[in-house]
Amino acid sequence: MFNSRGKRPVILLFGHVYKLWVGGIVSLMVILAALGIWVIKSEPPAYFSSQASLPVNASVENPPILFEVETVKENVSGENYFVNYRLKRDQFRQETKAMLSELLNSTVDKSKVQAQEKWLELSTKILKEGEVENLLKMKGFQDAVADVFPENVTVIVYAPSLTPNEVSHIQDIVVRVTKVRLDKITISTRK
């Protein structure tokens, strides 16, 4: 157990105990890194089969990025109308964000700039609509949806009818949040 030079334990010939721990930890890290690289390389890349196979960095001459609003079926009534409206709206927004996300990763600078502008417009629209809807609920309306555009705003409230005072409250909220003129606000009810 002792070496011949003195009364030191044999383990000191190989180093201190903590050096063994450091060596074990480093070995474990190397193994985990190799395993991580193997997992990343073995994972197949994600493809969107429903989209055309046009590469993102293809040059296209000044195409504007346009989005269309999809209307909700008119035969839905009551509270289901508002639930379905929000579901459709969120689905459309997710699709729009996915498309913009691809354009943000583009190598074409014009596409990136347009995508950034559209992303900012969409984010602003989402914030304003959410704020209008929440403020209307805080004012006592059971449910409401708002559609905010740069030039106009449409608000649909869950109620059989609205009093002039309620219309005034809705207009005040919409003008305060969106800065749209009163004549550009459309208010309707849905029961």
Side-chain angles (χ1 to χ4, degrees):
M1 178 167 179
F2 294 100
N3 65 12
S4 61
R5 290 190 223 171
K7 295 191 175 191
R8 291 188 192 166
V10 175
I11 195 155
L12 288 180
L13 294 175
F14 300 108
H16 296 288
V17 173
Y18 73 90
K19 288 183 182 178
L20 292 175
W21 278 97
V22 170
I25 291 173
V26 169
S27 299
L28 183 62
M29 289 173 45
V30 168
I31 291 170
L32 288 175
L35 182 63
I37 291 171
W38 177 76
V39 166
I40 290 172
K41 289 195 180 238
S42 67
E43 187 73 25
Y47 292 105
F48 297 101
S49 61
S50 64
Q51 295 180 350
S53 61
L54 182 67
V56 174
N57 60 0
S59 68
V60 183
E61 301 194 17
N62 296 332
I65 300 173
L66 301 174
F67 300 106
E68 296 178 11
V69 176
E70 185 176 338
T71 57
V72 179
K73 294 179 183 175
E74 288 297 320
N75 61 359
V76 180
S77 63
E79 293 179 11
N80 290 337
Y81 173 83
F82 295 94
V83 171
N84 289 334
Y85 189 95
R86 284 191 185 92
L87 288 173
K88 283 285 201 184
R89 182 173 69 181
D90 290 343
Q91 179 185 10
F92 177 73
R93 287 177 178 168
Q94 292 304 320
E95 292 169 1
T96 303
K97 285 180 181 181
M99 188 172 60
L100 288 174
S101 174
E102 289 294 320
L103 290 173
L104 286 172
N105 295 328
S106 171
T107 58
V108 179
D109 289 335
K110 273 190 176 181
S111 294
K112 274 185 170 179
V113 169
Q114 285 180 339
Q116 288 170 344
E117 290 170 358
K118 289 295 180 181
W119 190 282
L120 182 61
E121 285 176 23
L122 181 62
S123 299
T124 304
K125 175 180 170 68
I126 291 169
L127 285 173
K128 287 179 180 179
E129 288 173 353
E131 188 173 351
V132 167
E133 291 170 6
N134 288 334
L135 287 171
L136 290 174
K137 287 179 184 175
M138 288 173 55
K139 278 288 186 185
F141 293 100
Q142 187 175 348
D143 205 352
V145 289
D147 223 350
V148 177
F149 296 100
E151 294 95 29
N152 62 0
V153 176
T154 301
V155 177
I156 304 169
V157 180
Y158 182 67
S161 63
L162 295 172
T163 65
N165 191 30
E166 290 173 326
V167 170
S168 176
H169 284 303
I170 294 170
Q171 288 174 333
D172 289 344
I173 289 171
V174 171
V175 167
R176 186 175 61 217
V177 172
T178 65
K179 311 291 189 254
V180 173
R181 295 188 342 232
L182 281 176
D183 62 328
K184 299 294 184 178
I185 300 171
T186 305
I187 301 171
S188 59
T189 60
R190 189 77 177 199
K191 183 69 179 172

